[in-house]
Amino acid sequence: MNDKLALENQDFLQNVLGLKQILTMFDLLPDIIFWIKNANSEIIYANNKFVEHIGLHSLQQVYGKSDVAFFPPHIAKQFINDDKSVMNGQVITDRIELNMLKTGDFAWFSTSKRPLYDHNQHIVGSYGFTQLMNKTSQVLSSIDAIKAPVEFVRENYHKDICVEQLAQTAFLSVSALERRFKKYLSKTPKQFINEIRLENARRLLIETRLPIVEVAYRCGFSEHSYFSRQFKALFGTLPSQLRDTLHKDS
């Protein structure tokens, strides 16, 4: 009986409602940005909020384009690398991240991504949701709880930063600060410092021709070998390999 009901429900979704009608339902979610991409990270569908988010006027302006067409190079590369990871089977759930608005300002988002399967269970693309985290008091309190130390890191990542300094900016003990970072960002303060440094290093590698050693130094890394290891651990490629790829694509 349950199997029969399940088949009837599946038939209703596929043959009565139709995929197009189901997808348009995502336009009713006012704060959700939704997209579907093919295996080349090109948009094949997005809701109206996505179109609005990137500052365009119609879905036709989005079809067949990748994030490179809409975002600064270092952010587009981040999204495309995410797509590749997801298409390798990785799942991203409620990841809190700083991304750029169409105004050029940065804001907090909560993002989830999944692989997209065909009828034969082969991965053929990816889809995802992201939400600007400024709507609820719970979200606002979450950001406020770590706002001071996060801003301190963003402004001073190129300098020596110790966890004690961050704790002082939030008027917390080190242990209390670490608990907050684990709760709201799922990472330690040291991991956050490292990731902010590496993200800025990736931006410089993409947008400038500065020597890699100089990039490392400007982003707070005193040892080139350590910088390279950390960069590969986070992004899956060495700084030199990223540079080589960029030169080939240019």
Side-chain angles (χ1 to χ4, degrees), residues 111-196:
T111 301
S112 298
K113 299 180 181 182
R114 296 289 188 276
L116 185 68
Y117 296 89
D118 65 12
H119 293 300
N120 296 317
Q121 292 302 299
H122 297 142
I123 295 176
V124 294
S126 64
Y127 67 94
F129 303 82
T130 193
Q131 182 176 22
L132 180 62
M133 298 178 65
N134 67 349
K135 299 299 181 182
T136 68
S137 58
Q138 180 180 0
V139 165
L140 290 174
S141 64
S142 299
I143 300 304
D144 285 343
I146 55 172
K147 181 177 181 179
V150 164
E151 289 300 317
F152 184 87
V153 173
R154 289 182 62 204
E155 293 173 5
N156 299 280
Y157 64 87
H158 55 291
K159 303 176 182 178
D160 288 332
I161 303 174
C162 64
V163 178
E164 287 77 12
Q165 281 179 292
L166 292 186
Q168 289 173 7
T169 66
F171 303 101
L172 296 170
S173 66
V174 169
S175 59
L177 179 76
E178 289 178 339
R179 285 195 297 273
R180 286 195 182 184
F181 267 71
K182 276 291 188 181
K183 180 178 180 180
Y184 299 121
L185 294 180
S186 299
K187 62 191 67 176
T188 67
K190 287 184 178 179
Q191 288 173 327
F192 181 74
I193 294 168
N194 207 46
E195 289 183 12
I196 291 293

Side-chain angles (χ1 to χ4, degrees), residues 29-47:
L29 303 174
D31 303 321
I32 299 295
I33 298 167
F34 171 70
W35 65 90
I36 301 174
K37 296 180 181 179
N38 62 20
N40 296 319
S41 291
E42 296 164 339
I43 301 292
I44 59 174
Y45 184 82
N47 67 349

Side-chain angles (χ1 to χ4, degrees), residues 54-73:
I54 60 176
L56 296 178
H57 305 290
S58 70
L59 188 55
Q60 283 67 35
Q61 294 174 287
V62 175
Y63 281 140
K65 295 179 181 178
S66 73
D67 293 306
V68 173
F70 314 125
F71 299 100

